[in-house]
Amino acid sequence: MFRGFYTVASGMLAQQRRTEMLTNNMANANTPGFKEDQSSLRAFPEMLLQRMDDQGAHIPTQKGLNLPFNKRIGSLSTGVYMQEAIPAFKQGDLRETGLGTDMALLDVSMPENGSVFFSVTGPNGETQYTRNGNFTVDGQGFLTTASGLRVLNDAGNPIQLTSDQFTVNENGVLTGEGGVTARLGIGFSADANRLIKLGDGLYQTEDGNALANAYNEPNAQFKLQQGFIERSNVDVSRTMTDMMTAYRAFEANQKVLQAYDKSMEKAANEVGRI
């Protein structure tokens, strides 16, 4: 009976985590460059149940000892769990904004699980990556993200401009007033699922090292689009459906838990008196 409690509880926890993940996806449906998280539910390894029969048949050994015969009862499921949430790096739709400081990465041809990112400098000087091209120019003329992180060029240095009047071609070459020229730093990851998600649309490599220069990768074909931003790849309709499914599954587990609780109450209050 108690094993049933553990199985139901694991199902409720898994559905709760899945609901939290889907809620986060829905909340960021309008966040530029956001990549939705995906996960799957898996069962814990099953255990084999055997009964030790001390009163029944015994197995003789070479040393003259009689070991109890183990009778196999069957297997026992120990519930389910949700694996880690992994971002899906599929291309989001592009939306035209008309702002010269907005830029979007358009994947033309990418290897499976591969992706390209804008390079920015993190709070501690480390290189981080994002798909959110909603940039601006700060008071010192540096090209920055909406949260103030400086955008890097292909040499790993911050891009400093004289004004927000500049152009960017599809190859990432930025030309500003006064002859200022730079090339946006674009990093390439052959397996983007191995990146660490930091929040606020930022990612970092596991070892903290910089990604490969995307311009030198023949398998990574992409273009820069000025005046556009990449929308999130969250499918709102499907996410709502998945949230309802997760809620109903949680509710069903809750009903089973209540039934177990009533059974235990009856066993304690009525069977015990007999």
Side-chain angles (χ1 to χ4, degrees):
M1 181 66 70
F2 287 108
R3 287 192 291 266
F5 278 113
Y6 298 137
T7 302
V8 172
S10 70
M12 294 177 68
L13 289 172
Q15 295 300 336
Q16 179 182 355
R17 288 192 60 193
R18 188 161 182 262
T19 302
E20 292 171 351
M21 179 198 71
L22 294 169
T23 302
N24 183 64
N25 288 344
M26 183 64 70
N28 288 280
N30 294 321
T31 302
F34 178 80
K35 302 301 178 185
E36 67 172 354
D37 289 325
Q38 295 182 337
S39 68
S40 60
L41 298 181
R42 297 192 63 182
F44 286 111
E46 291 188 350
M47 295 190 300
L48 181 64
L49 293 179
Q50 292 183 335
R51 180 167 64 86
M52 302 282 292
D53 189 2
D54 294 329
Q55 305 300 324
H58 287 64
I59 304 175
T61 64
Q62 294 180 351
K63 295 183 179 181
L65 300 176
N66 289 332
L67 298 179
F69 178 74
N70 297 338
K71 183 178 180 180
R72 179 173 179 177
I73 299 176
S75 60
L76 171 67
S77 176
T78 52
V80 299
Y81 66 99
M82 193 190 87
Q83 290 184 297
E84 61 178 342
I86 299 177
F89 288 96
K90 62 183 179 181
Q91 175 76 50
D93 297 333
L94 300 189
R95 179 172 67 86
E96 186 174 7
T97 64
L99 297 176
T101 53
D102 286 341
M103 306 171 206
L105 287 166
L106 178 61
D107 300 335
V108 177
S109 176
M110 286 287 160
E112 186 178 4
N113 297 327
S115 188
V116 291
F117 303 86
F118 294 107
S119 301
V120 300
T121 179
N124 299 320
E126 71 280 14
T127 302
Q128 297 177 352
Y129 301 93
T130 182
R131 292 280 298 199
N132 187 349
N134 182 211
F135 299 144
T136 186
V137 177
D138 66 11
Q140 296 178 311
F142 288 101
L143 187 66
T144 68
T145 65
S147 58
L149 301 180
R150 292 177 177 176
V151 181
L152 304 178
N153 60 19
D154 58 349
N157 300 316
I159 298 175
Q160 190 171 22
L161 304 164
T162 57
S163 71
D164 59 359
Q165 301 300 313
F166 59 87
T167 60
V168 180
N169 64 17
E170 63 180 20
N171 295 318
V173 178
L174 184 151
T175 304
E177 293 181 344
V180 178
T181 303
R183 195 176 197 187
L184 289 167
I186 307 297
F188 168 72
S189 175
D191 187 1
N193 292 331
R194 297 181 63 86
L195 295 175
I196 299 174
K197 190 173 184 179
L198 303 176
D200 198 22
L202 297 172
Y203 302 89
Q204 190 174 356
T205 58
E206 293 179 321
D207 54 11
N209 296 329
L211 291 176
N213 190 334
Y215 299 115
N216 299 329
E217 295 292 333
N219 296 327
Q221 299 180 22
F222 62 95
K223 295 191 300 183
L224 271 295
Q225 295 286 333
Q226 187 180 18
F228 290 79
I229 58 172
E230 180 185 7
R231 301 176 61 185
S232 72
N233 61 1
V234 177
D235 187 331
V236 176
S237 299
R238 181 175 57 81
T239 302
M240 283 293 296
T241 302
D242 291 343
M243 287 178 64
M244 291 300 298
T245 301
Y247 173 76
R248 294 303 182 191
F250 182 91
E251 191 178 45
N253 280 282
Q254 188 180 42
K255 295 296 183 182
V256 174
L257 185 64
Q258 292 173 351
Y260 273 127
D261 184 60
K262 290 181 179 179
S263 298
M264 292 299 297
E265 181 182 3
K266 181 172 291 187
N269 296 332
E270 297 181 14
V271 178
R273 288 199 299 266
I274 297 176

